Amino acid sequence: TRGQVPPWLTEHDVQTLQLLAQGEVVGKARVPGHGQVLQVGFSAEGVLQNISPGLSQLCSQGLCGLIKRPGDLSEVLSFHVDRVLGLCRSLPAVARRFYNPLLPYRYTDGGARPVIWWAPDVQHLGDPDNDQNSLALGWLQYQALLARGCSRPGQDPCLDIHHAEWARLALFDFLLQVGGAWWERDGEQQR
């Protein structure tokens, strides 16, 4: 019920999280160049099961997600921190165990994996099968740009990112580093 939902989650967040956490996997595809990342399509509640739309059609309807590596569980923490802070920049993410026969064993071995919503309106670098990054940015380039501070988007090397967005990236980077260290330390104590 809505009374049990944290107030920082929108109705869309709740619906998307339910899809990611409980949707039945009805299609899958590898994401080129991303190793253990798998794009999956989910059945929508109330959709006739004998109609099986293709994965690209499911994704265009917002019914897809990326199953990522177990080491990427901090993305779930990132999503929740994002919503608590009211930034609304992260895509909905859940941790989930899969038991679906469509998936390879490493995805169904009982371990939790992060599932990130595949937003149909996110720019995909001209290749919808690439990933959900709206621009390719390496770690060293990110650090250099963040240190320099881009006040004029569109001019090299600012990559069309506004100054306010760099501030949000810096905040997220800090929270993920602190959160990631906490996540790893907490996990070691539980073992």
Side-chain angles (χ1 to χ4, degrees):
T1 64
R2 182 70 189 171
Q4 298 172 338
V5 174
W8 51 82
L9 295 177
T10 66
E11 188 62 38
H12 181 265
D13 287 339
V14 172
Q15 291 171 356
T16 304
L17 293 174
Q18 287 175 337
L19 174 74
L20 297 175
Q22 300 165 357
E24 180 184 349
V25 175
V26 295
K28 66 176 180 174
R30 296 248 176 249
V31 178
H34 286 279
Q36 290 188 35
V37 176
L38 194 63
Q39 184 182 41
V40 293
F42 296 105
S43 65
E45 192 173 324
V47 174
L48 297 174
Q49 293 302 316
N50 60 354
I51 297 174
S52 55
L55 190 60
S56 62
Q57 185 179 355
L58 287 171
C59 293
S60 69
Q61 296 171 8
L63 299 174
C64 284
L66 294 177
I67 303 175
K68 298 186 104 179
R69 294 169 286 277
D72 293 327
L73 282 169
S74 61
E75 290 193 41
V76 178
L77 174 65
S78 170
F79 163 71
H80 288 282
V81 169
D82 170 76
R83 291 310 193 266
V84 168
L85 294 175
L87 300 175
C88 297
R89 293 292 189 245
S90 288
L91 294 169
V94 300
R96 176 177 176 179
R97 289 178 174 81
F98 288 93
Y99 303 100
N100 189 295
L102 284 177
L103 300 176
Y105 175 73
R106 71 173 164 238
Y107 295 90
T108 62
D109 64 1
R113 285 182 173 257
V115 186
I116 315 303
W117 183 51
W118 181 270
D121 58 345
V122 171
Q123 216 178 7
H124 295 284
L125 300 172
D127 178 3
D129 294 324
N130 189 0
D131 61 24
Q132 295 219 80
N133 296 320
S134 57
L135 62 98
L137 185 63
W139 176 245
L140 294 176
Q141 185 184 14
Y142 163 70
Q143 287 180 313
L145 290 171
L146 194 60
R148 194 173 305 127
C150 289
S151 58
R152 290 183 285 162
Q155 293 189 348
D156 192 47
C158 293
L159 304 171
D160 292 329
I161 297 177
H162 294 274
H163 185 69
E165 286 299 312
W166 282 115
R168 289 185 182 99
L169 284 172
L171 174 62
F172 250 15
D173 182 46
F174 170 76
L175 292 171
L176 286 175
Q177 287 181 35
V178 171
W182 168 79
W183 191 285
E184 290 170 11
R185 184 184 69 234
D186 191 46
E188 289 175 10
Q189 290 174 353
Q190 291 178 1
R191 288 187 199 144

